Amino acid sequence: MLTDTLSAEDALPNPAWAILDTKDQWDAFSQTVENQGIQSTSEPLVQSNLMLDGLRCAACSGIIEQGLQATPGIISARVSMSKKRAVVVWSPSVTLPSKILTAIHDLGYTGFPATQHEDDLVSQQKQRAAFWRWMVSGFCMMQVMMYASPTYFTAPGEISSDILHLLNWASWLLSLPVLLFSSRSFFSNALRDLKQKQISMDLPVALGIIITFIVSSAATFEPNSWWGNTVYFDSLTMFVFFLLSARLIEVKLHRKTLGALESLVSRIPENTERQNPDGSFTRVLNTKLNIGDIVRVQIGEAFPADGKIISGNTSVDESLLTGESTPIQKNHNDDVIAGSYNLRQPVCITLNTIGESTKYGQIVNLINNAAVEKPRLSKLADRVARPFLIFVILSAAIAAALLWDVDRGRALMTAAAVLIVTCPCALSLATPAAMLASASAFVKRGILIKRLQAIENIADIDTIIFDKTGTLTEDHIQIKTIEPKTGLTESDALSVAATIAQHSMHPISRALFKANKTSSNLDTLNLVLADIELENIQEIAGAGISGAIKMSTIERLPTHLNLIGTELKLGSAVFCGIAESSTNAQQVYLANNQGWLATFTLQEAIKHNAAIAIQSLKNSGLNIELLSGDRSNAVENTAKQIGITQFQSACSPEDKLLRLQALKQEGRKVLMVGDGLNDGPILASAHVSIAMGKGVPLTLAHADYVFLNGDISQIPHLIRHAKQTMSIIKENIAWAIVYNLISIPLAFFGILSAWLAGLGMAVSSLIVVANALRLTKFASSKTDTK
């Protein structure tokens, strides 16, 4: 395993990283992404997920981002301080993973491939090291406090100078482990910053610790010197203990805020029982699985990939992937998805999709990408952190200078207190802690967020545009009637339509294909789908889909199917080039290069909770509009049933974009809700967008949020939760500002001692993270009825 070579405690020489420079190795923590004109060559780029060690504040993430982006071959780099992760997009023709990790090492940090097994091992190593540093500091602090306590309760002169000197020496000895072991991370990080000519949170902390130790040591060695005879070993050990305690608690709280995210990312087992040629089963690593393998999944295990049950039946928990808590019955030939849990009995499945191509893999990629994306407020905090740290150091120097001629020991201790108390940790955590906690709450309800900035955006909206089909109505549209051309049967028409519909993800296309699949005339289904092969398939959003029949297959068609011609079109009357029916029903047409072949009359059910959700949104003061490409009568009926008064029918994608631009010009903040595929242009152009992702490939859902279960009733709760998130972020930022406005003067004028400064900084960070914990539960599911 790579983890055996790459350790969190040991930076490796460059040759050791070279093992990652082959495609089969970097595929374990990377994925291919489209070039999209970023480079002049057409070569695809690689996006790698890396773990980072050594980050302490927002300034660290900025240092790594700037350093990596200046490295040849690296297109972009995004770093999340809270997640300790980086997403790096790079060109394999210019650079390699070993060079990327070397660049991170040269910046003074350590990088690792972000595979889940390595995540867990590195995390365990760091936890053990942090725990021992905390234990040592706590033990030494208690002993030092015991030696210092006599001076707290006695008057000057009651204890002889020899005894005091002996107690000071004992405290000095007990402070050495705190200085050399427990505080090692502060010093190593500060030294790294100095080498890189950068400033981060640990630099002022390290300076404060060193100053306190030097002043106290001088008073211990030469109690009658100009340093004075007062020691501060109790303050030193106390504030180191408080800082380490805060970091341990902060990690615990952070894990709670990110619980759903982490559990989703880590739920796939490391190994699975795969069937051997002789029928026996052997456990193998999931990286060794291939499409077509047969695996056995035991009770309580997660399915390692997407597949189909070939033996047994069971109940499956898909709650963390879809937000639906009720177990789902799965029988022979039913599909199962990676990451869902087997609840009832062992089953055997054949693997259809593995790795990042599974729905689970797509979800994990979305989560990891969202976690390192920096929203506007977080970027603002990053920009503020560096100048604020410079201000802190200058303030400490000024405080020391003002008191230098009065009491040099007191002057240095005042400087130490200023350095320690004003670190901008709380400010750096204010935004990411709250937003990641909300992202965790969304995942629990089957909502994926693709950009953290979307939380702020959706909290500001005043207008919502809805699509109709698959959004306000159920995506399982039913075929009410089929009217075929003379010479074609209804089954023929349905099968031919399904032949072209299978190439589209539009809800109507899926309905036609599903209806054909469940048709009782299976012979016709198999014959037509097997014999008709299409080429030059083109889909026009909001209009229809077309394709040419390969000449090699026309000769094989039954005589009665010669009517279908050489080119097929499925869609609206305008798209098919035929006269539109006068009926008020929703219809879709099948045509060839000669003209009309069949008319399919559709019926769709409005989602049972759509009217309640719309009313709740209207009660919140939001303007609601419905834009649909369907006929006017169908759109009008839907709008009336769910309470939308402003609607437009027969809208092309261009018409929808024009309406969106008009609303923007009026100063409106617009949320677009669509089915995630044919609404791509307007979803991408709106201020914020939601895709009803049920049945739609996540990679094609051009939206900020994806509702995995397509539940429209979640929208009011999502908006309320986003507003609550922004309120808590503002509370956190306000707390960080107020805390510094109060603590800086107190420390500057010597009122705040060093140990109280350490306690204050620790508590301020914990308050920010604990406040974000309020967001880990989704907003109340009760619908507004006011």
Side-chain angles (χ1 to χ4, degrees):
M1 293 297 294
L2 294 177
T3 311
D4 298 333
T5 309
L6 303 177
S7 167
E9 298 295 327
D10 226 354
L12 293 176
N14 296 351
W17 286 322
I19 63 174
L20 304 174
D21 288 345
T22 57
K23 188 177 185 303
D24 61 329
Q25 290 289 342
W26 77 55
D27 276 348
F29 57 95
S30 308
Q31 60 182 348
T32 302
V33 295
E34 294 182 5
N35 196 318
Q36 296 181 341
I38 297 175
Q39 287 189 318
S40 57
T41 64
S42 59
E43 176 194 38
L45 303 175
V46 178
Q47 178 178 289
S48 296
N49 296 298
L50 303 176
M51 284 182 59
L52 299 173
D53 191 23
L55 280 74
R56 295 302 176 195
C57 68
C60 297
S61 60
I63 292 170
I64 297 176
E65 285 181 352
Q66 294 173 13
L68 287 178
Q69 289 171 356
T71 303
I74 295 181
I75 309 302
S76 66
R78 291 176 296 158
V79 176
S80 169
M81 191 275 291
S82 56
K83 289 277 289 180
K84 304 294 189 296
R85 282 179 176 267
V87 173
V88 183
V89 178
W90 51 281
S91 171
S93 63
V94 181
T95 189
L96 292 168
S98 62
K99 295 180 180 179
I100 297 173
L101 294 173
T102 299
I104 295 174
H105 178 262
D106 292 342
L107 291 170
Y109 301 86
T110 307
F112 310 92
T115 60
Q116 185 57 41
H117 183 60
E118 290 166 10
D119 278 8
D120 294 340
L121 290 181
V122 171
S123 178
Q124 290 174 8
Q125 292 174 358
K126 292 171 66 176
Q127 286 179 37
R128 284 196 295 266
F131 177 77
W132 280 109
R133 286 195 292 268
W134 174 76
M135 284 288 291
V136 169
S137 66
F139 174 79
C140 293
M141 178 199 68
M142 289 187 292
Q143 296 300 313
V144 171
M145 290 297 298
M146 182 179 67
Y147 295 143
S149 59
T151 61
Y152 298 157
F153 307 108
T154 58
E158 289 188 28
I159 302 178
S160 67
S161 59
D162 291 341
I163 297 298
L164 287 175
H165 193 53
L166 181 62
L167 292 175
N168 290 345
W169 271 103
S171 298
W172 180 82
L173 288 172
L174 286 168
S175 297
L176 286 178
V178 177
L179 180 77
L180 301 177
F181 177 68
S182 298
S183 304
R184 187 175 63 179
S185 61
F186 301 125
F187 296 134
S188 60
N189 293 334
L191 182 60
R192 174 203 63 208
D193 295 336
L194 291 175
K195 288 180 179 179
Q196 298 296 326
K197 298 180 181 179
Q198 301 284 352
I199 297 177
S200 69
M201 186 189 76
D202 282 337
L203 180 58
V205 169
L207 289 174
I209 293 173
I210 291 175
I211 290 172
T212 305
F213 184 77
I214 290 176
V215 170
S216 302
S217 297
T220 300
F221 298 155
E222 295 290 339
N224 298 318
S225 68
W226 57 272
W227 293 100
N229 57 5
T230 305
V231 298
Y232 303 92
F233 294 119
D234 53 345
S235 296
L236 169 67
T237 54
M238 285 177 70
F239 75 68
V240 170
F241 176 74
F242 289 147
L243 290 181
L244 294 177
S245 299
R247 290 192 176 179
L248 284 178
I249 298 173
E250 185 182 313
V251 168
K252 294 285 187 182
L253 293 178
H254 239 296
R255 286 187 171 182
K256 190 171 183 180
T257 62
L258 301 177
L261 296 180
E262 297 295 346
S263 59
L264 179 59
V265 171
S266 62
R267 69 186 316 180
I268 293 289
E270 290 183 18
N271 52 69
T272 305
E273 290 183 276
R274 182 175 64 183
Q275 189 177 56
N276 300 318
D278 61 359
S280 62
F281 287 87
T282 304
R283 283 206 169 267
V284 298
L285 293 174
N286 287 342
T287 54
K288 304 297 183 182
L289 295 177
N290 298 301
I291 294 176
D293 285 349
I294 296 175
V295 301
R296 182 168 60 192
V297 181
Q298 300 291 341
I299 299 175
E301 284 187 337
F303 291 95
D306 293 349
K308 186 183 296 290
I309 295 179
I310 60 173
S311 174
N313 56 75
T314 187
S315 295
V316 174
D317 176 12
E318 298 180 351
S319 59
L320 206 53
L321 296 176
T322 65
E324 298 175 356
S325 57
T326 304
I328 302 171
Q329 177 66 28
K330 296 289 184 177
N331 301 314
H332 186 265
N333 282 335
D334 283 347
D335 294 328
V336 292
I337 56 178
S340 58
Y341 283 114
N342 181 17
L343 299 180
R344 201 173 67 191
Q345 67 178 10
V347 293
C348 292
I349 66 171
T350 181
L351 304 185
N352 298 330
T353 309
I354 61 175
E356 294 180 352
S357 299
T358 63
K359 186 175 182 179
Y360 170 86
Q362 296 175 38
I363 291 173
V364 170
N365 282 332
L366 288 181
I367 288 174
N368 286 333
N369 289 336
V372 298
E373 187 264 340
K374 290 187 177 180
R376 182 182 61 86
L377 290 174
S378 186
K379 292 178 180 177
L380 179 62
D382 289 356
R383 289 196 295 268
V384 170
R386 179 182 170 85
F388 183 79
L389 284 169
I390 295 175
F391 167 76
V392 168
I393 294 174
L394 290 176
S395 298
I398 293 172
L402 292 176
L403 292 172
W404 189 257
D405 294 333
V406 179
D407 187 335
R408 295 177 181 179
R410 181 186 169 194
L412 290 173
M413 288 306 300
T414 299
V418 172
L419 289 170
I420 294 168
V421 78
T422 54
C423 287
C425 187
L427 185 63
S428 299
L429 289 171
T431 299
M435 287 195 168
L436 288 172
S438 289
S440 172
F442 296 158
V443 168
K444 295 174 184 176
R445 298 295 289 262
I447 301 173
L448 294 184
I449 181 171
K450 299 176 75 173
R451 296 188 308 119
L452 291 181
Q453 178 61 38
I455 296 177
E456 181 179 356
N457 292 347
I458 203 171
D460 294 333
I461 64 161
D462 52 36
T463 302
I464 304 180
I465 297 176
F466 284 96
D467 178 44
K468 182 175 75 70
T469 304
T471 303
L472 296 172
T473 60
E474 299 289 354
D475 57 1
H476 50 273
I477 300 171
Q478 296 179 342
I479 311 302
K480 185 176 182 181
T481 61
I482 303 174
E483 181 185 351
K485 183 177 181 178
T486 303
L488 289 177
T489 67
E490 292 185 4
S491 297
D492 292 336
L494 180 59
S495 296
V496 174
T499 302
I500 189 168
Q502 65 182 322
H503 300 285
S504 170
M505 289 302 298
H506 191 278
I508 293 177
S509 296
R510 295 202 303 271
L512 288 168
F513 182 74
K514 183 177 179 180
N516 186 49
K517 188 176 181 180
T518 57
S519 172
S520 59
N521 194 347
L522 296 179
D523 292 338
T524 303
L525 164 69
N526 294 332
L527 173 66
V528 175
L529 290 184
D531 288 350
I532 298 180
E533 296 181 21
L534 300 178
E535 58 186 358
N536 299 326
I537 299 171
Q538 296 181 351
E539 183 172 11
I540 299 178
I545 184 172
S546 63
I549 301 178
K550 290 184 179 180
M551 297 301 296
S552 59
T553 66
I554 293 180
E555 299 175 356
R556 300 199 305 264
L557 293 177
T559 304
H560 74 286
L561 290 181
N562 288 336
L563 292 170
I564 66 175
T566 59
E567 183 179 354
L568 293 176
K569 288 185 177 181
L570 179 68
S572 66
V574 175
F575 177 77
C576 293
I578 59 178
E580 190 169 7
S581 172
S582 59
T583 181
N584 292 332
Q586 183 180 5
Q587 294 179 326
V588 64
Y589 302 90
L590 175 68
N592 61 9
N593 43 316
Q594 279 81 42
W596 173 79
L597 289 177
T599 299
F600 301 91
T601 301
L602 312 173
Q603 61 180 11
E604 53 184 354
I606 296 174
K607 291 184 177 179
H608 73 280
N609 47 17
I612 298 175
I614 295 299
Q615 186 59 49
S616 175
L617 294 170
K618 292 168 69 175
N619 290 343
S620 300
L622 297 172
N623 298 314
I624 310 297
E625 295 191 16
L626 171 59
L627 303 181
S628 175
D630 293 341
R631 302 169 58 105
S632 58
N633 292 316
V635 176
E636 183 179 359
N637 291 335
T638 300
K640 286 182 178 179
Q641 290 185 58
I642 61 178
I644 297 179
T645 57
Q646 189 165 351
F647 55 87
Q648 293 182 27
S649 59
C651 291
S652 66
E654 291 75 18
D655 295 332
K656 294 182 180 180
L657 278 175
L658 287 174
R659 179 55 184 162
L660 173 62
Q661 291 167 1
L663 290 170
K664 285 184 174 181
Q665 290 176 357
E666 295 174 10
R668 300 287 185 89
K669 302 292 186 182
V670 183
L671 164 65
M672 175 63 198
V673 185
D675 64 12
L677 191 64
N678 62 323
D679 292 314
I682 191 172
L683 286 171
S685 302
H687 291 95
V688 62
S689 53
I690 296 173
M692 295 297 169
K694 194 172 184 179
V696 177
L698 298 179
T699 54
L700 300 179
H702 307 288
D704 300 307
Y705 295 91
V706 179
F707 282 28
L708 295 175
N709 54 17
D711 185 2
I712 191 176
S713 67
Q714 302 271 39
I715 295 177
H717 311 313
L718 172 63
I719 296 173
R720 283 198 296 271
H721 196 93
K723 290 182 177 181
Q724 183 186 6
T725 302
M726 296 312 300
S727 296
I728 287 181
I729 288 175
K730 292 173 183 177
E731 290 173 7
N732 286 346
I733 293 176
W735 160 253
I737 293 173
V738 170
Y739 161 75
N740 282 288
L741 289 176
I742 294 174
S743 62
I744 289 177
L746 292 176
F748 189 88
F749 292 107
I751 300 174
L752 204 64
S753 63
W755 72 269
L756 274 175
L759 180 61
M761 193 196 82
V763 170
S764 68
S765 299
L766 292 180
I767 288 176
V768 166
V769 178
N771 196 28
L773 276 175
R774 296 161 54 194
L775 296 167
T776 56
K777 294 184 178 180
F778 203 62
S780 173
S781 60
K782 295 180 181 179
T783 307
D784 291 343
T785 56
K786 61 182 179 179

